[in-house]
Amino acid sequence: MPKNKLVSIVISAYNEQDNVGELYKQLKENLKATKDVDFEFVYVDDGSSDKTYEKCLSLQKKDERIKIVQLKRNFGHEIAMTAGMDYAKGDAVIFMDADLQHPPVYIPQMIEMWQQGNEIVLTKRLDNKATSGLYKFCAKTFYFILNKLSDTKIMESAPDFRLLDRKYVDFLKGFNEQDRLFRGLLSWVLPKDRVAMIDFVAPERFSGESKYNFAKSLQLALNSILQFSVKPMRLATYLGLLSALAALLLGAFVFVEHFFLHNPTPGYATIMVTVVFLGAVQLICLGIIGEYIGKIHIEVKKRPLYMADYVERKEKSRDKKDI
Ligand code: UDP
Ligand code: MG
């Protein structure tokens, strides 16, 4: 009898003590009917300060398919997904959040699409009624600017709920940048075919609060631009050229006023405006360059991405199971 394929489900959890158990329950319920595949559940505890890790351990006592990657401190969602991907052994890997905003009910469909030959199954989050008009407008404007500035197209409303075939998992493992954005990396490797898409409406969190506040979201937005493009630096050059042109025009205007119209503008005001304007332009340009130098500073050190313990229960080897 041919060996079943293994599907790994990687779940990133940071302070999700009241969600991990419910998620496991719903996963078990929804995956019962899925044939011809075995599962492993890789819970990544991203340095939680609550009882997330203990909850995962007690789930593992009941189900040896549960593996736990315990990060030694909070490394952030992107690194948590990377750690999960590094430890996942599956022929396909599904990534999902722990808060039930990525409903397990879609997983059988993802697997079916993979079994039909798709190597990547993405999801698209549809707006639910609660999404405000202002939020939609801001999101649309952000993605417009992002995709204008970035060399890699980054999809809108593409949550980190997706399936990747082992081929792409190994491919992504080759990217070792510290500062990483899965969505961007994925757009970089995205093939033209064998990609399927599932639309879904994300429910509210089951329990707890979102870890993303406005400042974190803004940082993520800026990072998405900086990581995939050097266009802002070019923008700095254009800004410099533009202000040089403005200074030239102002000079010509003052010259004409002084020598031909005999009506000189009082010096103080124009000098102050010019100095402040040019000062601001220079600071902006320095800031942009500084952002990139900061990134280089972090990347050149090539520090390990994370520190982790891997906890699994001694299970019967999968080969033995098939004898
Ligand atoms: N998460 C994580 N590390 C962090 C922040 C978040 O592993 O530093 C996990 C979190 O537990 C959740 C997922 O990433 O499973 C998405 O986070 P959250 O629900 O807070 O984001 P939102 O859905 O509000 O965008
Ligand atoms: Mg969430």
Side-chain angles (χ1 to χ4, degrees), residues 35-71:
K35 296 270 180 307
D36 307 325
V37 286
D38 293 333
F39 289 100
E40 66 165 2
F41 305 102
V42 183
Y43 277 87
V44 184
D45 166 30
D46 187 10
S48 301
S49 52
D50 67 356
K51 297 260 178 276
T52 301
Y53 178 64
E54 288 76 7
K55 290 268 159 115
C56 292
L57 277 178
S58 69
L59 290 174
Q60 194 182 47
K61 289 206 177 85
K62 287 187 254 165
D63 191 337
E64 62 184 14
R65 296 173 301 171
I66 292 181
K67 318 284 162 67
I68 307 168
V69 179
Q70 187 196 27
L71 298 184

PDB file of all heavy atoms in Angstrom, residues 35-71:
ATOM      1  N   LYS A  35      -9.153  12.185   3.212  1.00  0.00           N
ATOM      2  CA  LYS A  35      -8.567  10.858   2.965  1.00  0.00           C
ATOM      3  C   LYS A  35      -7.148  10.962   2.386  1.00  0.00           C
ATOM      4  O   LYS A  35      -6.771  11.986   1.851  1.00  0.00           O
ATOM      5  CB  LYS A  35      -9.439  10.118   1.933  1.00  0.00           C
ATOM      6  CG  LYS A  35     -10.845   9.814   2.403  1.00  0.00           C
ATOM      7  CD  LYS A  35     -10.885   8.455   3.087  1.00  0.00           C
ATOM      8  CE  LYS A  35     -12.259   8.090   3.590  1.00  0.00           C
ATOM      9  NZ  LYS A  35     -12.922   9.078   4.441  1.00  0.00           N
ATOM     10  N   ASP A  36      -6.436   9.904   2.480  1.00  0.00           N
ATOM     11  CA  ASP A  36      -5.127   9.717   1.835  1.00  0.00           C
ATOM     12  C   ASP A  36      -4.022  10.639   2.322  1.00  0.00           C
ATOM     13  O   ASP A  36      -2.997  10.761   1.655  1.00  0.00           O
ATOM     14  CB  ASP A  36      -5.239   9.873   0.298  1.00  0.00           C
ATOM     15  CG  ASP A  36      -6.309   8.982  -0.281  1.00  0.00           C
ATOM     16  OD1 ASP A  36      -6.469   7.868   0.246  1.00  0.00           O
ATOM     17  OD2 ASP A  36      -6.981   9.410  -1.238  1.00  0.00           O
ATOM     18  N   VAL A  37      -4.240  11.337   3.407  1.00  0.00           N
ATOM     19  CA  VAL A  37      -3.129  12.129   3.956  1.00  0.00           C
ATOM     20  C   VAL A  37      -3.052  11.931   5.462  1.00  0.00           C
ATOM     21  O   VAL A  37      -4.057  11.674   6.122  1.00  0.00           O
ATOM     22  CB  VAL A  37      -3.266  13.652   3.685  1.00  0.00           C
ATOM     23  CG1 VAL A  37      -2.980  14.013   2.255  1.00  0.00           C
ATOM     24  CG2 VAL A  37      -4.598  14.191   4.127  1.00  0.00           C
ATOM     25  N   ASP A  38      -1.826  12.030   5.977  1.00  0.00           N
ATOM     26  CA  ASP A  38      -1.631  12.082   7.432  1.00  0.00           C
ATOM     27  C   ASP A  38      -1.338  13.525   7.795  1.00  0.00           C
ATOM     28  O   ASP A  38      -0.910  14.312   6.944  1.00  0.00           O
ATOM     29  CB  ASP A  38      -0.442  11.205   7.838  1.00  0.00           C
ATOM     30  CG  ASP A  38      -0.725   9.730   7.597  1.00  0.00           C
ATOM     31  OD1 ASP A  38      -1.915   9.356   7.621  1.00  0.00           O
ATOM     32  OD2 ASP A  38       0.244   8.975   7.355  1.00  0.00           O
ATOM     33  N   PHE A  39      -1.565  13.832   9.066  1.00  0.00           N
ATOM     34  CA  PHE A  39      -1.331  15.212   9.492  1.00  0.00           C
ATOM     35  C   PHE A  39      -0.316  15.284  10.611  1.00  0.00           C
ATOM     36  O   PHE A  39      -0.188  14.365  11.411  1.00  0.00           O
ATOM     37  CB  PHE A  39      -2.636  15.835  10.011  1.00  0.00           C
ATOM     38  CG  PHE A  39      -3.619  16.112   8.907  1.00  0.00           C
ATOM     39  CD1 PHE A  39      -4.680  15.240   8.659  1.00  0.00           C
ATOM     40  CD2 PHE A  39      -3.475  17.244   8.114  1.00  0.00           C
ATOM     41  CE1 PHE A  39      -5.575  15.498   7.636  1.00  0.00           C
ATOM     42  CE2 PHE A  39      -4.375  17.508   7.089  1.00  0.00           C
ATOM     43  CZ  PHE A  39      -5.432  16.631   6.840  1.00  0.00           C
ATOM     44  N   GLU A  40       0.397  16.413  10.642  1.00  0.00           N
ATOM     45  CA  GLU A  40       1.116  16.784  11.866  1.00  0.00           C
ATOM     46  C   GLU A  40       0.747  18.250  12.127  1.00  0.00           C
ATOM     47  O   GLU A  40       0.512  19.021  11.205  1.00  0.00           O
ATOM     48  CB  GLU A  40       2.636  16.616  11.735  1.00  0.00           C
ATOM     49  CG  GLU A  40       3.300  17.532  10.749  1.00  0.00           C
ATOM     50  CD  GLU A  40       4.833  17.589  10.896  1.00  0.00           C
ATOM     51  OE1 GLU A  40       5.406  16.888  11.740  1.00  0.00           O
ATOM     52  OE2 GLU A  40       5.443  18.358  10.135  1.00  0.00           O
ATOM     53  N   PHE A  41       0.630  18.595  13.402  1.00  0.00           N
ATOM     54  CA  PHE A  41       0.263  19.962  13.767  1.00  0.00           C
ATOM     55  C   PHE A  41       1.465  20.598  14.453  1.00  0.00           C
ATOM     56  O   PHE A  41       1.863  20.149  15.537  1.00  0.00           O
ATOM     57  CB  PHE A  41      -0.938  19.962  14.725  1.00  0.00           C
ATOM     58  CG  PHE A  41      -2.114  19.210  14.162  1.00  0.00           C
ATOM     59  CD1 PHE A  41      -2.412  17.924  14.602  1.00  0.00           C
ATOM     60  CD2 PHE A  41      -2.906  19.779  13.178  1.00  0.00           C
ATOM     61  CE1 PHE A  41      -3.481  17.212  14.080  1.00  0.00           C
ATOM     62  CE2 PHE A  41      -3.992  19.082  12.650  1.00  0.00           C
ATOM     63  CZ  PHE A  41      -4.283  17.797  13.091  1.00  0.00           C
ATOM     64  N   VAL A  42       2.063  21.572  13.803  1.00  0.00           N
ATOM     65  CA  VAL A  42       3.253  22.207  14.372  1.00  0.00           C
ATOM     66  C   VAL A  42       2.826  23.519  15.029  1.00  0.00           C
ATOM     67  O   VAL A  42       2.590  24.511  14.364  1.00  0.00           O
ATOM     68  CB  VAL A  42       4.308  22.472  13.275  1.00  0.00           C
ATOM     69  CG1 VAL A  42       5.575  23.064  13.884  1.00  0.00           C
ATOM     70  CG2 VAL A  42       4.605  21.205  12.492  1.00  0.00           C
ATOM     71  N   TYR A  43       2.677  23.474  16.337  1.00  0.00           N
ATOM     72  CA  TYR A  43       2.330  24.692  17.082  1.00  0.00           C
ATOM     73  C   TYR A  43       3.615  25.463  17.371  1.00  0.00           C
ATOM     74  O   TYR A  43       4.540  24.904  17.973  1.00  0.00           O
ATOM     75  CB  TYR A  43       1.656  24.335  18.412  1.00  0.00           C
ATOM     76  CG  TYR A  43       0.174  24.046  18.304  1.00  0.00           C
ATOM     77  CD1 TYR A  43      -0.288  22.776  18.008  1.00  0.00           C
ATOM     78  CD2 TYR A  43      -0.755  25.067  18.517  1.00  0.00           C
ATOM     79  CE1 TYR A  43      -1.656  22.513  17.915  1.00  0.00           C
ATOM     80  CE2 TYR A  43      -2.122  24.815  18.430  1.00  0.00           C
ATOM     81  CZ  TYR A  43      -2.562  23.539  18.123  1.00  0.00           C
ATOM     82  OH  TYR A  43      -3.903  23.286  18.042  1.00  0.00           O
ATOM     83  N   VAL A  44       3.673  26.701  16.941  1.00  0.00           N
ATOM     84  CA  VAL A  44       4.841  27.525  17.260  1.00  0.00           C
ATOM     85  C   VAL A  44       4.442  28.501  18.352  1.00  0.00           C
ATOM     86  O   VAL A  44       3.583  29.354  18.149  1.00  0.00           O
ATOM     87  CB  VAL A  44       5.327  28.318  16.025  1.00  0.00           C
ATOM     88  CG1 VAL A  44       6.602  29.083  16.365  1.00  0.00           C
ATOM     89  CG2 VAL A  44       5.538  27.401  14.835  1.00  0.00           C
ATOM     90  N   ASP A  45       5.047  28.319  19.524  1.00  0.00           N
ATOM     91  CA  ASP A  45       4.774  29.259  20.614  1.00  0.00           C
ATOM     92  C   ASP A  45       5.818  30.370  20.514  1.00  0.00           C
ATOM     93  O   ASP A  45       7.002  30.144  20.751  1.00  0.00           O
ATOM     94  CB  ASP A  45       4.878  28.526  21.961  1.00  0.00           C
ATOM     95  CG  ASP A  45       4.935  29.514  23.113  1.00  0.00           C
ATOM     96  OD1 ASP A  45       4.357  30.602  22.983  1.00  0.00           O
ATOM     97  OD2 ASP A  45       5.583  29.199  24.132  1.00  0.00           O
ATOM     98  N   ASP A  46       5.350  31.552  20.140  1.00  0.00           N
ATOM     99  CA  ASP A  46       6.265  32.657  19.865  1.00  0.00           C
ATOM    100  C   ASP A  46       6.598  33.423  21.158  1.00  0.00           C
ATOM    101  O   ASP A  46       6.296  34.603  21.288  1.00  0.00           O
ATOM    102  CB  ASP A  46       5.620  33.588  18.825  1.00  0.00           C
ATOM    103  CG  ASP A  46       6.567  34.675  18.353  1.00  0.00           C
ATOM    104  OD1 ASP A  46       7.760  34.587  18.676  1.00  0.00           O
ATOM    105  OD2 ASP A  46       6.110  35.605  17.664  1.00  0.00           O
ATOM    106  N   GLY A  47       7.179  32.704  22.111  1.00  0.00           N
ATOM    107  CA  GLY A  47       7.589  33.349  23.369  1.00  0.00           C
ATOM    108  C   GLY A  47       6.433  33.906  24.169  1.00  0.00           C
ATOM    109  O   GLY A  47       6.552  34.990  24.755  1.00  0.00           O
ATOM    110  N   SER A  48       5.328  33.169  24.205  1.00  0.00           N
ATOM    111  CA  SER A  48       4.145  33.668  24.928  1.00  0.00           C
ATOM    112  C   SER A  48       4.433  33.843  26.412  1.00  0.00           C
ATOM    113  O   SER A  48       5.214  33.079  27.001  1.00  0.00           O
ATOM    114  CB  SER A  48       2.989  32.679  24.789  1.00  0.00           C
ATOM    115  OG  SER A  48       2.671  32.498  23.450  1.00  0.00           O
ATOM    116  N   SER A  49       3.767  34.838  27.019  1.00  0.00           N
ATOM    117  CA  SER A  49       3.939  35.014  28.460  1.00  0.00           C
ATOM    118  C   SER A  49       2.755  34.416  29.213  1.00  0.00           C
ATOM    119  O   SER A  49       2.705  34.439  30.432  1.00  0.00           O
ATOM    120  CB  SER A  49       4.086  36.496  28.787  1.00  0.00           C
ATOM    121  OG  SER A  49       3.020  37.210  28.201  1.00  0.00           O
ATOM    122  N   ASP A  50       1.784  33.871  28.501  1.00  0.00           N
ATOM    123  CA  ASP A  50       0.654  33.225  29.175  1.00  0.00           C
ATOM    124  C   ASP A  50       0.845  31.700  29.139  1.00  0.00           C
ATOM    125  O   ASP A  50       1.964  31.213  29.014  1.00  0.00           O
ATOM    126  CB  ASP A  50      -0.679  33.677  28.545  1.00  0.00           C
ATOM    127  CG  ASP A  50      -0.827  33.164  27.116  1.00  0.00           C
ATOM    128  OD1 ASP A  50       0.125  32.536  26.605  1.00  0.00           O
ATOM    129  OD2 ASP A  50      -1.891  33.385  26.512  1.00  0.00           O
ATOM    130  N   LYS A  51      -0.235  30.957  29.220  1.00  0.00           N
ATOM    131  CA  LYS A  51      -0.106  29.492  29.331  1.00  0.00           C
ATOM    132  C   LYS A  51      -0.183  28.784  27.965  1.00  0.00           C
ATOM    133  O   LYS A  51      -0.525  27.604  27.895  1.00  0.00           O
ATOM    134  CB  LYS A  51      -1.211  28.947  30.238  1.00  0.00           C
ATOM    135  CG  LYS A  51      -1.152  29.441  31.665  1.00  0.00           C
ATOM    136  CD  LYS A  51      -0.502  28.386  32.544  1.00  0.00           C
ATOM    137  CE  LYS A  51      -0.360  28.796  33.971  1.00  0.00           C
ATOM    138  NZ  LYS A  51       0.821  29.590  34.278  1.00  0.00           N
ATOM    139  N   THR A  52       0.118  29.498  26.884  1.00  0.00           N
ATOM    140  CA  THR A  52       0.009  28.880  25.557  1.00  0.00           C
ATOM    141  C   THR A  52       0.847  27.594  25.461  1.00  0.00           C
ATOM    142  O   THR A  52       0.369  26.563  24.995  1.00  0.00           O
ATOM    143  CB  THR A  52       0.470  29.880  24.472  1.00  0.00           C
ATOM    144  OG1 THR A  52      -0.359  31.034  24.565  1.00  0.00           O
ATOM    145  CG2 THR A  52       0.366  29.297  23.082  1.00  0.00           C
ATOM    146  N   TYR A  53       2.098  27.678  25.916  1.00  0.00           N
ATOM    147  CA  TYR A  53       2.997  26.526  25.797  1.00  0.00           C
ATOM    148  C   TYR A  53       2.461  25.330  26.595  1.00  0.00           C
ATOM    149  O   TYR A  53       2.408  24.202  26.085  1.00  0.00           O
ATOM    150  CB  TYR A  53       4.391  26.925  26.268  1.00  0.00           C
ATOM    151  CG  TYR A  53       5.388  25.791  26.241  1.00  0.00           C
ATOM    152  CD1 TYR A  53       5.743  25.193  25.036  1.00  0.00           C
ATOM    153  CD2 TYR A  53       5.962  25.312  27.418  1.00  0.00           C
ATOM    154  CE1 TYR A  53       6.651  24.139  25.004  1.00  0.00           C
ATOM    155  CE2 TYR A  53       6.873  24.262  27.397  1.00  0.00           C
ATOM    156  CZ  TYR A  53       7.207  23.682  26.190  1.00  0.00           C
ATOM    157  OH  TYR A  53       8.099  22.642  26.159  1.00  0.00           O
ATOM    158  N   GLU A  54       2.033  25.599  27.827  1.00  0.00           N
ATOM    159  CA  GLU A  54       1.503  24.517  28.679  1.00  0.00           C
ATOM    160  C   GLU A  54       0.267  23.905  28.023  1.00  0.00           C
ATOM    161  O   GLU A  54       0.091  22.683  28.027  1.00  0.00           O
ATOM    162  CB  GLU A  54       1.145  25.038  30.071  1.00  0.00           C
ATOM    163  CG  GLU A  54       2.330  25.374  30.973  1.00  0.00           C
ATOM    164  CD  GLU A  54       3.034  26.687  30.619  1.00  0.00           C
ATOM    165  OE1 GLU A  54       2.514  27.409  29.734  1.00  0.00           O
ATOM    166  OE2 GLU A  54       4.090  26.969  31.202  1.00  0.00           O
ATOM    167  N   LYS A  55      -0.566  24.734  27.438  1.00  0.00           N
ATOM    168  CA  LYS A  55      -1.774  24.222  26.760  1.00  0.00           C
ATOM    169  C   LYS A  55      -1.366  23.325  25.593  1.00  0.00           C
ATOM    170  O   LYS A  55      -1.968  22.264  25.360  1.00  0.00           O
ATOM    171  CB  LYS A  55      -2.632  25.391  26.225  1.00  0.00           C
ATOM    172  CG  LYS A  55      -3.306  26.199  27.315  1.00  0.00           C
ATOM    173  CD  LYS A  55      -4.687  25.662  27.603  1.00  0.00           C
ATOM    174  CE  LYS A  55      -5.149  26.101  28.961  1.00  0.00           C
ATOM    175  NZ  LYS A  55      -6.231  26.944  29.123  1.00  0.00           N
ATOM    176  N   CYS A  56      -0.349  23.747  24.850  1.00  0.00           N
ATOM    177  CA  CYS A  56       0.110  22.927  23.716  1.00  0.00           C
ATOM    178  C   CYS A  56       0.654  21.590  24.225  1.00  0.00           C
ATOM    179  O   CYS A  56       0.383  20.537  23.637  1.00  0.00           O
ATOM    180  CB  CYS A  56       1.201  23.648  22.927  1.00  0.00           C
ATOM    181  SG  CYS A  56       0.617  25.085  22.060  1.00  0.00           S
ATOM    182  N   LEU A  57       1.408  21.639  25.340  1.00  0.00           N
ATOM    183  CA  LEU A  57       1.945  20.400  25.900  1.00  0.00           C
ATOM    184  C   LEU A  57       0.832  19.441  26.288  1.00  0.00           C
ATOM    185  O   LEU A  57       0.914  18.225  26.041  1.00  0.00           O
ATOM    186  CB  LEU A  57       2.787  20.705  27.138  1.00  0.00           C
ATOM    187  CG  LEU A  57       4.233  21.140  26.906  1.00  0.00           C
ATOM    188  CD1 LEU A  57       4.899  21.436  28.230  1.00  0.00           C
ATOM    189  CD2 LEU A  57       5.028  20.079  26.149  1.00  0.00           C
ATOM    190  N   SER A  58      -0.241  19.999  26.869  1.00  0.00           N
ATOM    191  CA  SER A  58      -1.309  19.083  27.298  1.00  0.00           C
ATOM    192  C   SER A  58      -2.068  18.549  26.081  1.00  0.00           C
ATOM    193  O   SER A  58      -2.545  17.408  26.096  1.00  0.00           O
ATOM    194  CB  SER A  58      -2.231  19.730  28.327  1.00  0.00           C
ATOM    195  OG  SER A  58      -2.981  20.734  27.734  1.00  0.00           O
ATOM    196  N   LEU A  59      -2.144  19.319  25.008  1.00  0.00           N
ATOM    197  CA  LEU A  59      -2.752  18.781  23.781  1.00  0.00           C
ATOM    198  C   LEU A  59      -1.880  17.649  23.227  1.00  0.00           C
ATOM    199  O   LEU A  59      -2.367  16.632  22.739  1.00  0.00           O
ATOM    200  CB  LEU A  59      -2.871  19.871  22.710  1.00  0.00           C
ATOM    201  CG  LEU A  59      -3.891  20.984  22.940  1.00  0.00           C
ATOM    202  CD1 LEU A  59      -3.773  22.049  21.857  1.00  0.00           C
ATOM    203  CD2 LEU A  59      -5.321  20.417  22.933  1.00  0.00           C
ATOM    204  N   GLN A  60      -0.551  17.853  23.330  1.00  0.00           N
ATOM    205  CA  GLN A  60       0.374  16.855  22.799  1.00  0.00           C
ATOM    206  C   GLN A  60       0.247  15.518  23.526  1.00  0.00           C
ATOM    207  O   GLN A  60       0.460  14.453  22.935  1.00  0.00           O
ATOM    208  CB  GLN A  60       1.797  17.395  22.919  1.00  0.00           C
ATOM    209  CG  GLN A  60       2.810  16.616  22.109  1.00  0.00           C
ATOM    210  CD  GLN A  60       4.207  17.167  22.291  1.00  0.00           C
ATOM    211  OE1 GLN A  60       4.639  17.414  23.415  1.00  0.00           O
ATOM    212  NE2 GLN A  60       4.907  17.357  21.205  1.00  0.00           N
ATOM    213  N   LYS A  61      -0.118  15.586  24.806  1.00  0.00           N
ATOM    214  CA  LYS A  61      -0.291  14.347  25.573  1.00  0.00           C
ATOM    215  C   LYS A  61      -1.403  13.505  24.969  1.00  0.00           C
ATOM    216  O   LYS A  61      -1.381  12.278  25.027  1.00  0.00           O
ATOM    217  CB  LYS A  61      -0.614  14.667  27.034  1.00  0.00           C
ATOM    218  CG  LYS A  61       0.584  15.229  27.756  1.00  0.00           C
ATOM    219  CD  LYS A  61       0.512  14.964  29.269  1.00  0.00           C
ATOM    220  CE  LYS A  61       1.761  15.470  29.946  1.00  0.00           C
ATOM    221  NZ  LYS A  61       1.714  16.906  30.294  1.00  0.00           N
ATOM    222  N   LYS A  62      -2.407  14.205  24.384  1.00  0.00           N
ATOM    223  CA  LYS A  62      -3.545  13.477  23.812  1.00  0.00           C
ATOM    224  C   LYS A  62      -3.281  13.045  22.374  1.00  0.00           C
ATOM    225  O   LYS A  62      -3.912  12.133  21.871  1.00  0.00           O
ATOM    226  CB  LYS A  62      -4.789  14.390  23.815  1.00  0.00           C
ATOM    227  CG  LYS A  62      -5.379  14.590  25.192  1.00  0.00           C
ATOM    228  CD  LYS A  62      -6.685  15.341  25.078  1.00  0.00           C
ATOM    229  CE  LYS A  62      -6.503  16.777  25.545  1.00  0.00           C
ATOM    230  NZ  LYS A  62      -7.513  17.712  25.206  1.00  0.00           N
ATOM    231  N   ASP A  63      -2.422  13.795  21.687  1.00  0.00           N
ATOM    232  CA  ASP A  63      -2.259  13.546  20.256  1.00  0.00           C
ATOM    233  C   ASP A  63      -0.784  13.693  19.877  1.00  0.00           C
ATOM    234  O   ASP A  63      -0.223  14.787  19.913  1.00  0.00           O
ATOM    235  CB  ASP A  63      -3.102  14.578  19.483  1.00  0.00           C
ATOM    236  CG  ASP A  63      -3.199  14.242  18.004  1.00  0.00           C
ATOM    237  OD1 ASP A  63      -2.308  13.519  17.510  1.00  0.00           O
ATOM    238  OD2 ASP A  63      -4.151  14.709  17.359  1.00  0.00           O
ATOM    239  N   GLU A  64      -0.191  12.559  19.511  1.00  0.00           N
ATOM    240  CA  GLU A  64       1.253  12.595  19.238  1.00  0.00           C
ATOM    241  C   GLU A  64       1.572  13.284  17.915  1.00  0.00           C
ATOM    242  O   GLU A  64       2.739  13.528  17.596  1.00  0.00           O
ATOM    243  CB  GLU A  64       1.813  11.171  19.233  1.00  0.00           C
ATOM    244  CG  GLU A  64       1.211  10.318  18.151  1.00  0.00           C
ATOM    245  CD  GLU A  64       1.686   8.868  18.182  1.00  0.00           C
ATOM    246  OE1 GLU A  64       2.269   8.469  19.199  1.00  0.00           O
ATOM    247  OE2 GLU A  64       1.468   8.173  17.181  1.00  0.00           O
ATOM    248  N   ARG A  65       0.530  13.591  17.146  1.00  0.00           N
ATOM    249  CA  ARG A  65       0.793  14.306  15.890  1.00  0.00           C
ATOM    250  C   ARG A  65       1.139  15.768  16.152  1.00  0.00           C
ATOM    251  O   ARG A  65       1.533  16.490  15.255  1.00  0.00           O
ATOM    252  CB  ARG A  65      -0.437  14.239  14.973  1.00  0.00           C
ATOM    253  CG  ARG A  65      -0.779  12.822  14.530  1.00  0.00           C
ATOM    254  CD  ARG A  65      -2.074  12.801  13.777  1.00  0.00           C
ATOM    255  NE  ARG A  65      -3.186  13.315  14.567  1.00  0.00           N
ATOM    256  CZ  ARG A  65      -4.398  13.566  14.078  1.00  0.00           C
ATOM    257  NH1 ARG A  65      -4.645  13.350  12.803  1.00  0.00           N
ATOM    258  NH2 ARG A  65      -5.362  14.032  14.853  1.00  0.00           N
ATOM    259  N   ILE A  66       0.941  16.211  17.396  1.00  0.00           N
ATOM    260  CA  ILE A  66       1.252  17.606  17.728  1.00  0.00           C
ATOM    261  C   ILE A  66       2.731  17.775  18.042  1.00  0.00           C
ATOM    262  O   ILE A  66       3.291  17.036  18.858  1.00  0.00           O
ATOM    263  CB  ILE A  66       0.387  18.082  18.919  1.00  0.00           C
ATOM    264  CG1 ILE A  66      -1.063  18.165  18.458  1.00  0.00           C
ATOM    265  CG2 ILE A  66       0.879  19.424  19.458  1.00  0.00           C
ATOM    266  CD1 ILE A  66      -2.030  18.652  19.511  1.00  0.00           C
ATOM    267  N   LYS A  67       3.363  18.693  17.342  1.00  0.00           N
ATOM    268  CA  LYS A  67       4.775  19.027  17.586  1.00  0.00           C
ATOM    269  C   LYS A  67       4.791  20.464  18.095  1.00  0.00           C
ATOM    270  O   LYS A  67       3.968  21.272  17.678  1.00  0.00           O
ATOM    271  CB  LYS A  67       5.595  18.954  16.288  1.00  0.00           C
ATOM    272  CG  LYS A  67       5.266  17.765  15.391  1.00  0.00           C
ATOM    273  CD  LYS A  67       5.865  16.479  15.920  1.00  0.00           C
ATOM    274  CE  LYS A  67       5.238  15.232  15.338  1.00  0.00           C
ATOM    275  NZ  LYS A  67       5.469  15.002  13.931  1.00  0.00           N
ATOM    276  N   ILE A  68       5.713  20.770  18.965  1.00  0.00           N
ATOM    277  CA  ILE A  68       5.762  22.148  19.487  1.00  0.00           C
ATOM    278  C   ILE A  68       7.138  22.751  19.235  1.00  0.00           C
ATOM    279  O   ILE A  68       8.163  22.145  19.547  1.00  0.00           O
ATOM    280  CB  ILE A  68       5.473  22.181  21.004  1.00  0.00           C
ATOM    281  CG1 ILE A  68       4.163  21.445  21.310  1.00  0.00           C
ATOM    282  CG2 ILE A  68       5.400  23.627  21.503  1.00  0.00           C
ATOM    283  CD1 ILE A  68       3.934  21.181  22.778  1.00  0.00           C
ATOM    284  N   VAL A  69       7.115  23.915  18.629  1.00  0.00           N
ATOM    285  CA  VAL A  69       8.353  24.682  18.480  1.00  0.00           C
ATOM    286  C   VAL A  69       8.216  25.828  19.470  1.00  0.00           C
ATOM    287  O   VAL A  69       7.330  26.664  19.338  1.00  0.00           O
ATOM    288  CB  VAL A  69       8.502  25.241  17.047  1.00  0.00           C
ATOM    289  CG1 VAL A  69       9.782  26.057  16.930  1.00  0.00           C
ATOM    290  CG2 VAL A  69       8.470  24.119  16.014  1.00  0.00           C
ATOM    291  N   GLN A  70       9.074  25.808  20.478  1.00  0.00           N
ATOM    292  CA  GLN A  70       8.962  26.862  21.497  1.00  0.00           C
ATOM    293  C   GLN A  70      10.073  27.880  21.285  1.00  0.00           C
ATOM    294  O   GLN A  70      11.249  27.614  21.541  1.00  0.00           O
ATOM    295  CB  GLN A  70       9.072  26.258  22.899  1.00  0.00           C
ATOM    296  CG  GLN A  70       8.799  27.288  23.969  1.00  0.00           C
ATOM    297  CD  GLN A  70       9.264  26.848  25.349  1.00  0.00           C
ATOM    298  OE1 GLN A  70      10.189  26.045  25.471  1.00  0.00           O
ATOM    299  NE2 GLN A  70       8.637  27.371  26.372  1.00  0.00           N
ATOM    300  N   LEU A  71       9.702  29.050  20.800  1.00  0.00           N
ATOM    301  CA  LEU A  71      10.698  30.105  20.601  1.00  0.00           C
ATOM    302  C   LEU A  71      11.049  30.686  21.970  1.00  0.00           C
ATOM    303  O   LEU A  71      10.187  30.829  22.829  1.00  0.00           O
ATOM    304  CB  LEU A  71      10.170  31.191  19.665  1.00  0.00           C
ATOM    305  CG  LEU A  71       9.841  30.725  18.237  1.00  0.00           C
ATOM    306  CD1 LEU A  71       9.428  31.905  17.375  1.00  0.00           C
ATOM    307  CD2 LEU A  71      11.026  30.015  17.595  1.00  0.00           C
TER     308      LEU A  71
END
